[in-house]
Amino acid sequence: MASKPGILTEWPWTNLGKFKYLVLAPFVVHSIYSYMKDGDLGYVIILPYLVFRFVHNQIWISLARYRTAKGDNRIVERSIEFDQVDRESNWDDQIIFNGLLYYIGYLRMEEVHNLPLWRTDGMIIVALMHIGPVEFVYYWFHRALHHHFLYSRYHSHHHSSIVTEPITAFVHPFAEIIAYYGIFAIPAVATALTGTSSIASFALYVIFTDFMNNIGHCNFEVIPKWIFSIFPPLKYLIYTSSFHSLHHTQFRTNYSLFMPLYDFVFGTMDKSSDTLYEKSLAKKAEVPDVVHLTHLTTLQSIYHLRLGFSSWASKPHTTTSKWYLLLMWPVTLWSIMITWIYSRTFVVERNLFKDLKLQTWAIPKFRRQYFSQWQKKSINKLIEGAIMEADRKGIKVLSLGLLNQAKKLNSNGEAYTRKHPELKVKVVDGSSLVVAVVLNSIPKGTSQVVLQARSLSKVVCSIALALCQRGIKVVALDEEVYKRLKERFTPEDATNLVLSGSTGVSKTWLVDDGLSEAEQLKAPKGTLFIPYSPFPPKKARKDCFYFNTPAMISPKHLQNVDSCENWLPRRVMSAWRIAGILHAIEGWNEHECGNMMFDVDKVWKASLDHGFSPLTMSSAIESKT
C-alpha cells in the first residue's frame, strides 16, 4: 500500500478474494453464445488470450525465481520477504481489467466486430505509435509519479519492492493502472481511426508490453552482450533488466518505459547503467555452503513450490486438494509425465544464514514414487547424483529432508557414504535434532506418552530410550515395536516401557504419518498428537490437537525467506533442514546418516545458541494465522 493512499487505490473487486475472476463470467458465457450464433472469432478469443497472458507471466515468474536462486546474472543481492509476496499477490488484477476492457469495448464498438486476424499496415502503425507517443508520454507521466504528491499516494506502492520480480511490473494502485492503460491505448485508437485494426494488433501489443515488463523486473540480466555489439545504437532502443533495476534502487534515474532513449535525451540516465549491466552478465552461479535436498510431495505440490505460484508458496501447503486445482489437471498430469522423464535435481530456493549461503534442491519425484519398487534405481541414482554434484562444487553439508523416508532405499544416506568414502561433503539426515525437537515438544509434567510406530527406526528408538531414562512411561501401540525396543534397552530402562492396554490412558501421543483414523479414535478427548516423521498424519479428530512435524522458528538473520517449507508455517524450518545449517556452522566434520546419532542435548543447545526457537503450540497457531 502507498504511504498515503489516494483515491481509487483499491481495486473494485478486492473484496471478492479468490472469486474475483467471476466478474468475467457473464462476458465469457455471452462470447461463447455469440460465437456459436455468429461465428465472430474476435469475441470468443478474448478468454484464451487472457489465459495466455497469465501463463506467459507465470513462466517468467518461475524462470526468474529459478535463475535468481542459482545466482548467475543476478542483479540485486538483497532479500525478498513475505511482505513483498503479500503485496504483489494481486498481480493478476490487471489481467481481469484488461479482459473487461476488451469485452466491454467489443460490445460497445461495432467497428471491432469481425476483425481480420492480421494486418501489416496496422502493425506498423502500432510500432510507430509505441516508439513515439507511448514512450514519450509514459516517460513524463512516470517522472510525474515520482513527485512527492503522486509518489506518496500511488507510485510508492510499486517502489516498495526494491528487489523486483516479474510480477512487480503489474502491481500498482487501480488509478495508476487506469492511467497506464490510457497511455497504452494510443496504438489501438490509432489503428481504429485509420481502419487498420486486427486481432493481432490488439493482442500482440499487450503481449509485447508483458514481455518487456517481465524483462525489466526479473532481477537477472536477460539481454546478451552480442546484441548490442552487432548494432550499438540498440542500447538506446531496448532497455535491459539491470537498467530498470537501477530505477528501483536509485528512484530518480532511468524513467523510460522500454526505450532508454528518452532518459538519454533528457539527462536522467543513471551513470552506472553500463557498469551494472556488465557486472550482472559476468556474475556466475552461486556455490552454496549448505544444500537441503528435498522432493515433491502431493501431486499439487508443484503449484506450492517457490518456483510455482508465489502466493501459494508463501502459505503452508495443505494435504487436502483444493477444488479449483481440478481445473488444472492437464498441467498436473503433464508434471507427472515430466517426473518420469526428467532426471536432474533443480534449485528451488536460496537463503543466507549469517555468512552461510544456503540452497534447497528438489528431486523431480513425487512421494508416491518412493514406494514404487521399479523406481528404486532411478531415485537412488538421483540422490547419489545430487551428493556427488555437491561434493564436486565444494559444498560443505548436504542435508536430507523428506528423503529420510528413503531409508529402505539407501539406509538414510549411508549407502552413498560407504560407496564414496572419499566424500568431502557431509551427508546429514538430521535425526539427532529431530529427536531433540520432539522431546522438547512434550509438555512439561508429562508422566506418560503413547508411542505409535509402524517400524523401528533410530529416531523412534532414541525418543523412547530418552523418555524411559527420564522416568516417563512409554506406551507402545505396536507389539512388534515394543518387543524390539525392549530387546535394545537395559532392564532398568525397560521398566518404563509398556505395551498398550497395561497402563492408564495418555493425552500425549508421539506419531508418524501412518497414524490411522482408527488409532486416533482410541485417543481421549484433548489428546496432543506430536509427529516425529517428516510428514504430518491425516487429521481425523476435531477435539484433539495436532502439532507440527519436527521444526523450529528461524531467527531474523535468516534472509530471503518468502515461501513456506511444505506444510510448515511462515519462517518455520524443519529440523532436518536446520540440522544441515548447524552441522556447517559448528564445523562438525562427520556424517550423520545410517545408524549415526549425535548427542541430542548438544545439538539442541547449538540450535538455541544460533537463534532457532522452539515451536510451541501457541506459536504454531499464531504463525498459521
Side-chain angles (χ1 to χ4, degrees):
M1 187 67 69
S3 54
K4 297 178 181 179
I7 60 172
L8 291 179
T9 291
E10 291 285 349
W11 288 76
W13 45 79
T14 297
N15 294 331
L16 293 179
K18 296 177 182 178
F19 298 98
K20 61 186 179 182
Y21 276 90
L22 290 179
V23 302
L24 295 174
F27 299 102
V28 172
V29 173
H30 185 256
S31 68
I32 295 173
Y33 170 77
S34 297
Y35 178 72
M36 295 175 65
K37 181 180 179 182
D38 304 323
D40 188 351
L41 182 64
Y43 192 26
V44 78
I45 207 173
I46 294 176
L47 178 61
Y49 154 77
L50 296 177
V51 172
F52 177 83
R53 281 198 68 196
F54 185 93
V55 173
H56 176 212
N57 290 318
Q58 181 58 48
I59 290 172
W60 273 100
I61 294 167
S62 300
L63 176 63
R65 288 194 154 202
Y66 171 71
R67 287 289 298 274
T68 52
K70 284 184 63 181
D72 49 334
N73 308 131
R74 190 165 60 226
I75 301 168
V76 180
E77 294 293 339
R78 292 177 62 176
S79 300
I80 292 175
E81 304 292 337
F82 284 110
D83 60 341
Q84 178 170 337
V85 177
D86 292 340
R87 187 175 60 253
E88 297 180 347
S89 62
N90 69 328
W91 67 271
D92 52 346
D93 280 344
Q94 50 88 29
I95 295 181
I96 298 175
F97 186 53
N98 181 206
L100 288 175
L101 291 178
Y102 276 8
Y103 278 124
I104 294 172
Y106 178 89
L107 293 174
R108 298 298 297 265
M109 300 170 63
E110 287 290 333
E111 57 268 28
V112 299
H113 289 205
N114 298 300
L115 289 175
L117 188 61
W118 176 274
R119 280 197 61 158
T120 302
D121 51 359
M123 295 304 296
I124 293 174
I125 291 174
V126 167
L128 293 175
M129 289 298 101
H130 176 83
I131 293 170
V134 172
E135 289 278 353
F136 180 80
V137 172
Y138 178 91
Y139 173 85
W140 286 106
F141 176 65
H142 193 182
R143 288 192 65 169
L145 285 174
H146 279 261
H147 183 276
H148 64 85
F149 181 85
L150 292 178
Y151 187 81
S152 61
R153 287 163 175 77
Y154 298 104
H155 203 50
S156 59
H157 178 74
H158 177 69
H159 271 276
S160 297
S161 302
I162 305 298
V163 182
T164 59
E165 294 197 286
I167 51 178
T168 306
F170 309 106
V171 178
H172 301 274
F174 182 55
E176 199 171 325
I177 286 288
I178 293 175
Y180 288 146
Y181 270 62
I183 296 172
F184 294 142
I186 293 173
V189 172
T191 57
L193 292 176
T194 57
T196 58
S197 298
S198 66
I199 293 175
S201 67
F202 284 107
L204 293 183
Y205 181 62
V206 176
I207 292 171
F208 162 76
T209 60
D210 282 349
F211 181 80
M212 295 303 295
N213 265 319
N214 282 319
I215 284 180
H217 292 83
C218 63
N219 197 34
F220 70 94
E221 193 49 71
V222 178
I223 308 296
K225 192 174 181 179
W226 62 264
I227 289 182
F228 298 120
S229 299
I230 294 174
F231 186 60
L234 198 62
K235 65 181 291 186
Y236 301 108
L237 302 179
I238 299 177
Y239 77 166
T240 63
S241 308
S242 52
F243 179 91
H244 190 71
S245 179
L246 279 169
H247 176 70
H248 277 261
T249 55
Q250 303 303 317
F251 299 103
R252 297 294 182 181
T253 57
N254 296 5
Y255 293 102
S256 292
L257 179 55
F258 307 137
M259 295 172 56
L261 173 65
Y262 292 97
D263 279 300
F264 177 75
V265 171
F266 297 110
T268 53
M269 181 178 288
D270 198 291
K271 294 179 180 179
S272 61
S273 296
D274 291 341
T275 304
L276 183 61
Y277 173 69
E278 299 275 356
K279 183 180 177 181
S280 301
L281 280 178
K283 190 172 181 59
K284 303 297 182 183
E286 195 168 69
V287 178
D289 300 297
V290 180
V291 164
H292 180 65
L293 196 59
T294 186
H295 64 75
L296 302 169
T297 55
T298 64
L299 296 180
Q300 288 77 31
S301 63
I302 57 167
Y303 308 117
H304 292 266
L305 282 176
R306 188 179 179 276
L307 307 183
F309 299 152
S310 54
S311 60
W312 291 10
S314 69
K315 299 179 181 64
H317 173 28
T318 60
T319 53
T320 55
S321 298
K322 298 179 176 65
W323 64 268
Y324 46 82
L325 285 177
L326 296 175
L327 302 175
M328 301 182 67
W329 258 105
V331 180
T332 307
L333 183 62
W334 174 81
S335 71
I336 296 172
M337 299 298 296
I338 291 296
T339 63
W340 297 105
I341 301 168
Y342 191 70
S343 59
R344 285 193 58 125
T345 58
F346 55 95
V347 180
V348 175
E349 185 177 7
R350 74 175 181 98
N351 306 103
L352 186 67
F353 185 87
K354 297 181 179 177
D355 294 329
L356 285 181
K357 290 177 287 187
L358 317 176
Q359 280 186 357
T360 299
W361 295 357
I363 287 179
K365 296 291 182 183
F366 290 99
R367 186 190 180 195
R368 292 181 182 180
Q369 292 170 310
Y370 278 76
F371 301 100
S372 171
Q373 188 61 30
W374 69 282
Q375 284 279 294
K376 177 179 178 179
K377 184 177 179 181
S378 173
I379 292 173
N380 270 326
K381 186 176 179 181
L382 283 169
I383 299 173
E384 183 178 8
I387 293 173
M388 298 309 296
E389 182 180 356
D391 194 60
R392 285 192 302 270
K393 289 183 175 181
I395 294 167
K396 298 177 182 177
V397 176
L398 185 140
S399 62
L400 302 174
L402 303 178
L403 297 172
N404 277 280
Q405 66 178 303
K407 57 181 177 292
K408 293 182 180 179
L409 299 178
N410 52 60
S411 303
N412 282 332
E414 190 177 28
Y416 309 121
T417 58
R418 287 180 178 177
K419 183 178 179 181
H420 304 283
E422 74 286 353
L423 280 177
K424 293 180 181 179
V425 63
K426 300 306 173 187
V427 181
V428 177
D429 66 15
S431 298
S432 304
L433 185 58
V434 169
V435 173
V437 170
V438 172
L439 293 176
N440 285 278
S441 299
I442 298 172
K444 291 183 178 180
T446 300
S447 59
Q448 177 180 291
V449 301
V450 172
L451 178 64
Q452 177 268 333
R454 292 171 295 173
S455 59
L456 191 63
S457 66
K458 65 176 181 178
V459 169
V460 171
C461 188
S462 298
I463 292 173
L465 179 60
L467 291 173
C468 288
Q469 290 176 341
R470 296 180 184 184
I472 299 175
K473 287 193 176 295
V474 177
V475 182
L477 292 182
D478 186 90
E479 186 175 358
E480 183 61 28
V481 169
Y482 166 75
K483 289 179 179 179
R484 293 180 62 189
L485 282 174
K486 197 165 186 179
E487 290 173 359
R488 296 190 179 199
F489 292 0
T490 64
E492 183 180 355
D493 294 332
T495 56
N496 286 315
L497 181 66
V498 295
L499 188 61
S500 177
S502 58
T503 186
V505 178
S506 171
K507 286 192 174 184
T508 302
W509 284 42
L510 308 182
V511 301
D512 64 14
D513 57 300
L515 180 68
S516 66
E517 182 176 347
E519 288 173 325
Q520 294 182 50
L521 293 175
K522 294 178 182 179
K525 182 180 178 180
T527 292
L528 172 62
F529 294 109
I530 303 176
Y532 56 80
S533 64
F535 291 88
K538 291 184 178 180
K539 299 178 182 180
R541 298 279 297 272
K542 293 184 178 180
D543 58 351
C544 294
F545 303 98
Y546 294 82
F547 206 66
N548 285 289
T549 52
M552 300 180 76
I553 302 172
S554 59
K556 291 183 179 179
H557 53 258
L558 177 67
Q559 299 177 31
N560 204 47
V561 183
D562 59 13
S563 60
C564 291
E565 186 178 349
N566 297 310
W567 36 81
L568 294 175
R570 289 183 169 185
R571 294 199 67 85
V572 172
M573 185 178 285
S574 70
W576 293 271
R577 194 172 172 188
I578 296 171
I581 297 173
L582 297 178
H583 209 92
I585 207 166
E586 289 287 334
W588 294 331
N589 195 29
E590 53 189 324
H591 300 292
E592 185 192 23
C593 53
N595 294 321
M596 173 66 180
M597 288 280 288
F598 289 158
D599 184 300
V600 171
D601 293 330
K602 176 183 176 182
V603 174
W604 178 251
K605 183 178 182 302
S607 68
L608 299 178
D609 289 344
H610 290 291
F612 292 97
S613 306
L615 185 65
T616 62
M617 180 59 72
S618 58
S619 64
I621 294 173
E622 182 181 346
S623 57
K624 284 180 180 178
T625 56

